[in-house]
Amino acid sequence: MASTARSLRSHVPPARRLPLAVFLSCQACYLFWWAAFHPGLMSVDSVVYTWQVSTGNWRADHSVLYNALVWLSFEVTGDIAALTLFQTLAMSAVLAHACAGLRTLGVRGRWSAPAAVACAAAPPLGSFIVFMWKDVPFTICAVLVFAVSVRLLGRRAHGTWTGRPRRSELVLLCLGLLGVDLFRNNGFPVSLVAALALVLALPGARLLIAGLAAATTTLTLLLALVIYPSAGIEQPSKAFLYNLHYADLAVTYARTPEHFTPDDLRLMSGAAPRATWHEAGTNCYVSDVLYYNASWNRSEAARLTEPLVRLWWRTLRESPQQTIGARLCRAHIAWSVFPGPADKSARTWTYGTAIPADLWGYGAIEDSPYRSQLKARPLSPALNHAATSARSAFGVPQLEWLLWRGAIWCYATYALVTLLARARRRRVLLALAGVPLGVQLTVLAANPAPCFRYMVAPIFIGVLCLSLIPAIRTRSAEHPDRVDSCAGACDAQSSLLTTVNPEGHQRRWHTTHNNGS
């Protein structure tokens, strides 16, 4: 057995052994989650996707691209298991690519590989990838942008940057940015921040990367504003698009009712009773308490959108602290390390592993031919029990700040990247924080509820960045390729050569390094 493994290993090029090992290890973990929760974990959003694509009611309130993947999975296989399995393969490949890229920063596989496997094995992150949710491919693409950034910035920091990304890097960066834009309707600011960080750090490729970001953003807007409506895909209602503005008004009204005139109150009463506005405004953490309230009249809210938005602008001018405070409160998940009060629904909204028989009361799904497929069918009851127990064990409230909230991992990433940049005296490495910063700023600007899924990408990136700690502490990481290839016998050989002929050794060493080995 051992000889067979050595034989197989000898056929794999040395540069590909680490990513292959990481891919196989991560995929083994993901197969456990996939088999345990087969065909995949679901939420009410998953039910909505299925209803939309299987009954011809395509809408753009969710990711149309992910809806297309759901439709393709059902049409080809009659189930969603193929889609969730593809998600696991994609994430394993991205984690493997990230580990290979981290070598350019002096991070050995012995440090990056465990971090990647931890992402796949930890219940909050591992089980998330088998979810039928648009946020899963968004996260995969965000981590992919980070992985490509690591490669580009690693070459820039170590003097091997030629001024132009390789073709494979350009293709992967394009796929990552486009996926971030299309898998979440407000994802394009994330790609713009990440691209801006690279533009500032990579001379010679600034126009290329800026053009790529501009092209993916333009395509995203063109699809949303022109192509989707032309294809008969229903646009989100105005009440849906401006529901955060209504929530801001509710908070402002609950805190400073004296700022509202009788005409303002009559206008607001057209969408919901004043008591509903006030009650919803007492909870600044969640906008759903207003938008999904039984007394909220969505059709009237859509009809009154323009005057309500004008009222929102007026309250922003007159009481900016109220509107900004409401936004920061709802974006609690983005900036606060610790969760808010439970009585305000401000604890982190995670996700369950059970699929109720009534599919969260979504009655329209009865019209779908795939209604019977939306239920848990684990491939092994024993695996399902083990996975469910592991998931429950990680639901400890005292560790919620660490296991389920992305803010702490954003700050950890910023700290580690800053330390690495200072240790290497390479400010360009600060651009590694582009993706988590983009996610954090986007959620800060507009967020409906403290959902774990909105900030899960920074958790993946933060865990991977833990492998930077040894690279920060070692001076030898200045030349990562040599460290990886000469970790053992080469160290002794180089010491001997330095003793015999230090000047000649130094000349030969730098010549080899400059040749790119």
Side-chain angles (χ1 to χ4, degrees):
M1 186 71 176
S3 61
T4 303
R6 284 194 297 269
S7 176
L8 291 174
R9 184 175 181 274
S10 65
H11 287 82
V12 179
R16 297 185 180 179
R17 289 173 186 171
L18 172 62
L20 179 61
V22 171
F23 174 83
L24 294 176
S25 300
C26 291
Q27 190 57 32
C29 296
Y30 284 131
L31 285 176
F32 165 77
W33 299 114
W34 183 77
F37 296 125
H38 182 274
L41 292 172
M42 302 181 197
S43 71
V44 66
D45 286 349
S46 312
V47 181
V48 174
Y49 304 158
T50 303
W51 174 76
Q52 288 184 1
V53 304
S54 62
T55 61
N57 292 283
W58 287 70
R59 294 179 181 174
D61 50 355
H62 295 286
S63 167
V64 175
L65 177 58
Y66 193 66
N67 278 3
L69 294 178
V70 172
W71 173 83
L72 183 64
S73 183
F74 276 124
E75 286 294 309
V76 175
T77 68
D79 204 350
I80 64 159
L83 174 59
T84 53
L85 178 60
F86 178 74
Q87 290 172 180
T88 67
L89 292 167
M91 194 54 167
S92 295
V94 168
L95 290 173
H97 189 67
C99 289
L102 285 167
R103 286 192 299 197
T104 65
L105 295 176
V107 179
R108 295 186 179 185
R110 70 181 67 174
W111 295 104
S112 62
V117 174
C119 290
L125 301 182
S127 60
F128 174 76
I129 298 301
V130 300
F131 228 109
M132 182 185 174
W133 234 342
K134 68 182 187 302
D135 299 277
V136 175
F138 170 86
T139 299
I140 294 171
C141 291
V143 179
L144 175 60
V145 174
F146 169 77
V148 177
S149 300
V150 168
R151 282 183 173 270
L152 297 174
L153 295 168
R155 297 215 315 275
R156 172 75 172 89
H158 293 293
T160 57
W161 172 248
T162 62
R164 185 178 179 85
R166 299 182 181 121
R167 182 175 299 179
S168 60
E169 294 168 341
L170 200 59
V171 170
L172 290 176
L173 183 61
C174 180
L175 289 176
L177 293 176
L178 194 58
V180 166
D181 287 348
L182 294 179
F183 283 121
R184 187 178 285 177
N185 286 346
N186 65 340
F188 71 90
V190 179
S191 66
L192 290 178
V193 173
L196 177 61
L198 293 177
V199 166
L200 295 175
L202 298 175
R206 286 169 178 161
L207 287 178
L208 182 62
I209 295 175
L212 183 63
T216 55
T217 302
T218 301
L219 177 59
T220 300
L221 297 177
L222 186 65
L223 286 168
L225 300 177
V226 179
I227 297 178
Y228 290 162
S230 299
I233 297 174
E234 185 179 342
Q235 293 294 89
S237 68
K238 290 184 177 180
F240 177 81
L241 290 175
Y242 290 98
N243 76 88
L244 298 183
H245 292 66
Y246 306 148
D248 294 339
L249 283 175
V251 172
T252 304
Y253 174 62
R255 292 177 176 176
T256 56
E258 65 276 8
H259 287 172
F260 291 80
T261 67
D263 289 340
D264 297 336
L265 297 178
R266 279 193 293 272
L267 171 64
M268 294 165 64
S269 297
R274 289 167 57 181
T276 300
W277 284 96
H278 186 275
E279 180 184 359
T282 59
N283 183 356
C284 65
Y285 291 94
V286 183
S287 66
D288 293 356
V289 293
L290 177 65
Y291 186 72
Y292 292 103
N293 193 292
S295 62
W296 177 257
N297 190 327
R298 297 186 188 179
S299 59
E300 279 299 298
R303 187 180 67 82
L304 298 172
T305 294
E306 290 187 11
L308 285 172
V309 171
R310 285 197 298 269
L311 176 59
W312 179 87
W313 278 110
R314 199 194 81 202
T315 59
L316 177 62
R317 290 192 301 270
E318 295 177 354
S319 303
Q321 72 277 14
Q322 300 298 339
T323 300
I324 295 173
R327 293 275 167 154
L328 289 176
C329 184
R330 281 198 307 276
H332 194 261
I333 188 73
W335 59 267
S336 178
V337 172
F338 298 103
D343 61 339
K344 296 292 186 181
S345 300
R347 299 296 297 270
T348 308
W349 292 17
T350 57
Y351 55 88
T353 58
I355 303 174
D358 68 344
L359 297 179
W360 296 275
Y362 195 79
I365 193 61
E366 301 300 331
D367 298 332
S368 171
Y370 301 114
R371 167 65 177 84
S372 61
Q373 301 299 312
L374 301 182
K375 60 182 179 181
R377 287 166 278 134
L379 300 184
S380 166
L383 289 180
N384 178 261
H385 177 73
T388 302
S389 298
R391 167 63 179 74
S392 299
F394 275 69
V396 180
Q398 292 83 356
L399 295 179
E400 182 180 322
W401 63 277
L402 180 65
L403 302 176
W404 296 97
R405 296 182 69 85
I408 184 64
W409 293 100
C410 284
Y411 303 140
T413 299
Y414 303 153
L416 290 170
V417 167
T418 300
L419 290 173
L420 182 67
R422 290 188 63 183
R424 303 293 176 79
R425 296 182 176 86
R426 295 289 188 271
R427 286 182 295 177
V428 296
L429 293 176
L430 295 175
L432 290 170
V435 174
L437 179 62
V439 174
Q440 193 173 32
L441 291 177
T442 301
V443 177
L444 273 170
N447 186 58
C451 296
F452 160 76
R453 59 193 173 106
Y454 296 149
M455 291 292 294
V456 69
I459 302 180
F460 275 95
I461 293 172
V463 173
L464 289 172
C465 283
L466 291 178
S467 64
L468 295 175
I469 296 174
I472 294 170
R473 299 180 62 185
T474 177
R475 291 286 183 179
S476 61
E478 284 189 53
H479 305 286
D481 296 331
R482 182 171 175 81
V483 169
D484 270 343
S485 61
C486 301
C490 284
D491 285 342
Q493 182 183 8
S494 61
S495 298
L496 177 61
L497 288 170
T498 303
T499 302
V500 175
N501 189 359
E503 293 183 0
H505 169 66
Q506 291 297 329
R507 284 197 298 270
R508 188 183 69 168
W509 199 96
H510 284 293
T511 300
T512 303
H513 177 69
N514 290 334
N515 285 339
S517 64

